[in-house]
Amino acid sequence: MTNTPTTHASTPTSAFADIPTTTLADVLGRAQVMGTGVRPLWSPVPRVAGPAFTVRCPPGDNLMLHAAIHRAEPGAVIVVESGDPDYALAGGNVCAVAQRRGVAAFVADGLIRDLAEVREMAFPVFARGVIPFPGGKKVVTPLNTEVHCAGVAVNAGDIVVADEEGIVVVPAARAEETLAAARTKLAKEADETLDAWEDAHRTRIDKILRDQGFED
């Protein structure tokens, strides 16, 4: 069973590829930033941005991730809830097929294998690590339902932006306002010299210190 994700045509996902995750984190707050356990498995990894195609795999099983690579639309980021520390969710062939079908990346709260192959093909994988033993293929769960990955709730169609700094989930309903706020922030930063930033930073920090009773 596959649920159809909601899309917001007025905000193209590709626009988020130009926005650093640090900027999105500042705009959205900590709740939309995945934990550091899920990280890029090779570097330098390119920034990826795409609508989430969500998958839930129970411990020891990877059937639905293998099903998802044939169902996700080109440009999608496949997001997997698993948390299994003992079995690999995918290997080199699965990543190769996903890449050939246009999947932008895997973001998995779990493990993969065949890292050398994945690195050589330059397929972006953000996961908890590697293990050489694969999971089974028995358990069917719905695709494109809400999942939890590295502490963040992710729904199908949410925009996932991932780079070497981390992974941020932009709720689909907030995509337009988030993109506008991020662009405004980047433009302001681009117009600000380091001297100006340093002066403003020193003023702000000194005020906080004074308000807390700190004396030099």
Side-chain angles (χ1 to χ4, degrees):
M1 175 169 33
T2 303
N3 296 327
T4 302
T6 301
T7 58
H8 291 254
S10 61
T11 307
T13 302
S14 59
F16 282 89
D18 297 326
I19 310 296
T21 54
T22 49
T23 301
L24 291 171
D26 288 345
V27 170
L28 289 169
R30 180 64 182 86
Q32 297 306 122
V33 179
M34 290 192 186
T36 58
V38 174
R39 61 194 186 280
L41 294 189
W42 55 267
S43 64
V45 68
R47 181 178 303 126
V48 297
F53 187 99
T54 59
V55 181
R56 183 179 293 110
C57 291
D61 199 277
N62 59 29
L63 174 64
M64 297 316 295
L65 172 55
H66 289 235
I69 65 171
H70 299 289
R71 290 161 176 78
E73 293 292 328
V77 175
I78 294 182
V79 180
V80 188
E81 175 184 326
S82 173
D84 189 341
D86 296 316
Y87 298 90
L89 289 164
N93 284 344
V94 170
C95 291
V97 171
Q99 184 180 54
R100 186 163 64 181
R101 293 183 57 81
V103 171
F106 286 169
V107 173
D109 198 341
L111 310 174
I112 70 158
R113 67 178 190 165
D114 302 328
L115 179 57
E117 295 178 30
V118 175
R119 182 171 52 238
E120 183 176 356
M121 72 180 74
F123 181 64
V125 174
F126 300 77
R128 290 196 176 272
V130 296
I131 195 169
F133 196 75
K137 295 168 182 61
K138 296 180 179 179
V139 182
V140 175
T141 60
L143 295 171
N144 278 328
T145 60
E146 183 177 273
V147 300
H148 289 81
C149 186
V152 179
V154 186
N155 288 279
D158 288 349
I159 297 173
V160 180
V161 184
D163 59 22
E164 63 185 3
E165 299 281 353
I167 307 156
V168 180
V169 179
V170 182
R174 299 176 60 188
E176 188 171 350
E177 67 180 80
T178 300
L179 183 61
R183 284 174 167 169
T184 298
K185 180 174 174 59
L186 287 173
K188 179 180 178 182
E189 291 172 350
D191 290 338
E192 187 177 43
T193 66
L194 180 58
D195 288 342
W197 184 91
E198 182 181 5
D199 288 343
H201 179 261
R202 177 68 183 269
T203 298
R204 181 168 66 92
I205 296 302
D206 285 350
K207 182 180 185 305
I208 295 172
L209 291 173
R210 286 195 305 273
D211 290 347
Q212 297 295 327
F214 178 83
E215 297 182 2
D216 289 327

